[in-house]
Amino acid sequence: QVQLVESGGGLVQAGGSLRLSCAASGRTAGAYAMGWFRQAPGKERENVAAISWNGRSTYYANSVKGRFTISKDNAKNTVYLQMNSLKPEDTAVYYCAATERLGVSRASGEYPYWGQGTQVTVSS
């Protein structure tokens, strides 16, 4: 079992930056591949970024490529999402997720462990 706790969300103006953190606890938490998903009101949950267990492989949705960076510190059992040049359309609840798969996973169904979510609001 892995427990995930996100932090770092908030209100920011368009063009600003935020860094989300997701602390994992539980048995061998550092061995999990991780992902960040977001869900805006009335929209489906989408995968915005994912990272392999060792941090060597990553995936980004086209909508965030070049603006968001996912990273993983296995020593701290923490995954980060650095979000720059934020846009109003980035407004959503952001969730981190963990999977025992070692490579990059993009589908939400591949992640059995989820955090509670953190709200990101970007004002225009």
Side-chain angles (χ1 to χ4, degrees):
Q1 283 283 350
V2 176
Q3 293 78 43
L4 304 173
V5 178
E6 301 102 332
S7 60
L11 173 64
V12 64
Q13 288 188 332
S17 298
L18 283 174
R19 187 176 81 155
L20 305 183
S21 300
C22 175
S25 60
R27 187 168 61 94
T28 61
Y32 290 76
M34 307 286 288
W36 284 98
F37 291 75
R38 68 185 181 188
Q39 188 165 20
K43 295 188 176 181
E44 293 187 354
R45 188 172 296 188
E46 65 169 333
N47 181 205
V48 297
I51 191 166
S52 60
W53 78 276
N54 59 6
R56 293 178 182 174
S57 298
T58 57
Y59 158 80
Y60 296 96
N62 287 335
S63 58
V64 306
K65 199 171 294 183
R67 300 187 298 121
F68 290 12
T69 303
I70 188 171
S71 60
K72 193 171 184 278
D73 186 338
N74 282 347
K76 296 182 178 180
N77 290 337
T78 301
V79 64
Y80 304 96
L81 185 68
Q82 177 66 43
M83 305 186 294
N84 299 328
S85 301
L86 283 161
K87 304 175 181 180
E89 51 263 44
D90 294 318
T91 295
V93 177
Y94 283 70
Y95 300 89
C96 74
T99 175
E100 290 159 320
R101 297 171 181 255
L102 299 181
V104 172
S105 293
R106 296 173 54 183
S108 60
E110 295 177 351
Y111 290 88
Y113 308 108
W114 292 81
Q116 81 288 353
T118 185
Q119 177 71 47
V120 171
T121 303
V122 184
S123 63
S124 57

